[in-house]
Amino acid sequence: MIRIFLSAFFLLLFGQVYSQINFVNKAGIAGINHTYPIHMGAGGVSFVDFDGDGLDDLSLGTGPTESIHFYRNLGGSFQKIFLVQTSALIKSVLWADFDNDGDKDLFAVGFDDHNHLWENQGNLNLVEITDAAGLPMTIKRCYGANFADVNRDGWLDLYYAERKAAGEMTDNQMRLFLNNADGTFTDATDEWNAGDVGKTPFCATFFDCNNDKWPDLYIANDKATINTLLVNTGNAFEDKSDTSGTALAMNSMCVAISDFDKNSYTDIYVTNTEEGGALLVNEDGNSFSEQAGALGVSFAGGIGWGSSFIDADNDTWEDLYISGMIGGSDVLSSAFYQNSLGTFLPDMAQGFVGDTVTSFGNAIGDYNNDGFADIIVSNWPPAKAQLWSNETQTDNHWVKVELEGVLSNRDGIGAKVCVYPLDSDYTCHYTTCGIGFLGQNSTQLMFGLGSSTEIDFIEVTWPTGHIDMIMNPEIDQLHSVLEGSTTDGVIEVDDDITIVTDVQIEYPTFETLDIFPNPGSSQVFIQAYDKGVIDIIDVNGKYLRSMRIEGSLLDVSFLPDGIYFLKTRSGKVGKFVKS
């Protein structure tokens, strides 16, 4: 990564003091040992907690000689575990609760292979159901994938980029499969006008470009086959590329999203070859202007692949990180652009020592739970995957939000979460499942608070249209939000959607789970339950967090005194008093 050093005069000119952003590669120390065989675009990277213990795990796509790498987070270090057997080039790797049963299922995209869907039948017992779920078993060359609830019926649908196999006389296209809410999917590509046929797609990302709560799409197409903006009308997508100013002809690799300028509309970044990437600034929900060059983030001269927006110093403004394909210390191999009140400064980050290799996909999470966003990057050999640990020194505060839908899909994909600190700028995030180039960010949404020591409120607008508001939440911690938890379990649903699920909030009863000592103070023993995940719910029925239990012992020392319900994923519930 080429470094640009700024003078004190330059900093004074901008009239703002910046935290010294610093990232250090901790992959080897943390137990990550991964590389992807030399193949166009490398493999997918997921920073999602796949075992439900509250810690961000890692999943990395692999080549045909080894299965997908899964790394369970042990609390700042990782243990490689085996979950599924694969024997092809794996591109996107996504964890999503497509069947709304409370645990994450797995989808993996195959290259010169069919795609794969595994159902999590509990405790990471993954059973492949691709054919039974009605998904194609044909050999293709697919890349990016996403889950989103396109019709807002409460169930996650599947979307992916499909390129034809070698020698195949068909067109490339995107594919959309609607979730039937019974463990199967139906191809709705044509019905929803979602195919974008005849182009060269790499990846797409769902976002709400016009703030109408319907998930829209931006598709990154390679070989100057024109990028596409598909706007969701409620029962189909309408191509708005030409009228919106987003029909770019470039060698597009990825789609990253952020309201980087805080005008309440989501913007788009797309990587490219040496000509430079594009920053599509969303002006009003209907029109975009390309400003990468004007704002100094074009990455011109490099070959960009993965990009991610990340508030590295928790100042409430999202910065931009780009992984590049050209390796070497004297070339533009990667870049970090710091956001200054909606504009970008040249690369001010320290560290990133060794970020000069051939890199592709990246994703954002918080592997050590310190409230500062970290980055995982997939590389070509001889380089190993890099885990860029955020070592930034700052007094800025933070908060994390994790969602659980009730009438919305269980993962809360498609929700918009806004955090309003008392003394700093607000920040909003749109929840996705699949972003950047073959990436999946943590499901724990991270928000910088700047110097604020209080939060006025957190606002969650769910795919149902329901709004939950968490008033005066504590800073520097994770808040888990259950849909309807701030409205006494009443969930308002927009008139223009139909919810398929009949799930309602059920406040727990307490006959079946034996807990002692009860009352307890630091640890409790849960009889006949020695391994798995426990959900902790407060006396008002509000979901607080999930924790992994080993040997029947559960740490409750962090809980304030009060009454709680402990619930297993099989539905057993017990009442517990912390004192």
Side-chain angles (χ1 to χ4, degrees), residues 23 310-312 314 364-366 370-375 388 390 446:
F23 284 84
I310 170 176
D311 185 0
N314 286 336
I364 306 300
D366 182 10
D370 66 354
F372 287 83
D374 310 302
I375 309 170
W388 294 109
N390 191 339
M446 290 175 275

Side-chain angles (χ1 to χ4, degrees), residues 121-143:
Q121 298 188 346
N123 295 319
L124 290 177
N125 176 24
L126 299 175
V127 177
E128 181 157 8
I129 60 166
T130 311
D131 192 22
L135 298 177
M137 299 293 289
T138 49
I139 304 301
K140 296 288 183 178
R141 291 182 166 180
C142 299
Y143 277 91

Side-chain angles (χ1 to χ4, degrees), residues 514-527 534 536 547-559 561 566 576-579:
D514 294 324
I515 304 165
F516 59 89
N518 195 356
S521 58
S522 59
Q523 285 187 322
V524 295
F525 181 84
I526 302 178
Q527 187 172 349
I534 292 287
I536 302 176
M547 296 184 66
R548 176 163 293 278
I549 185 171
E550 299 285 351
S552 297
L553 284 176
L554 181 69
D555 179 13
V556 295
S557 60
F558 65 93
L559 291 171
D561 290 352
L566 306 182
F576 163 68
V577 178
K578 167 67 186 300
S579 63

Side-chain angles (χ1 to χ4, degrees), residues 214-230:
W214 291 96
D216 309 305
L217 268 169
Y218 193 71
I219 304 168
N221 290 310
D222 194 14
K223 309 298 183 185
T225 51
I226 312 298
N227 295 345
T228 306
L229 176 67
L230 297 180

Side-chain angles (χ1 to χ4, degrees), residues 400-416:
K400 297 190 212 177
V401 178
E402 189 161 36
L403 304 179
E404 183 177 342
V406 175
L407 297 184
S408 296
N409 65 84
R410 186 71 175 259
D411 287 345
I413 302 302
K416 183 177 182 180

Side-chain angles (χ1 to χ4, degrees), residues 76 134 137 180 211 220 236 284 312 320 344 353 367 390 398 415 417 482 515:
M137 299 293 289
N180 297 322
N211 293 334
D284 56 11
L320 179 63
F344 290 92
V353 175
Y367 85 99
N390 191 339
W398 54 272
V417 182
L482 180 70
I515 304 165

Side-chain angles (χ1 to χ4, degrees), residues 256-273:
I257 60 169
S258 169
D259 181 14
F260 80 93
D261 55 0
K262 297 184 188 288
N263 72 341
S264 80
Y265 293 101
T266 302
D267 312 297
I268 304 169
Y269 189 85
V270 185
T271 50
N272 192 15
T273 45

Side-chain angles (χ1 to χ4, degrees), residues 322-364:
I322 300 175
S323 296
M325 182 178 178
I326 304 176
S329 58
D330 58 345
V331 296
L332 189 56
S333 57
S334 59
F336 181 92
Y337 302 105
Q338 187 167 2
N339 189 338
S340 170
L341 307 178
T343 63
F344 290 92
L345 302 178
D347 188 354
M348 295 178 63
Q350 287 184 339
F352 285 110
V353 175
D355 200 7
T356 55
V357 300
T358 300
S359 301
F360 293 91
N362 58 55
I364 306 300

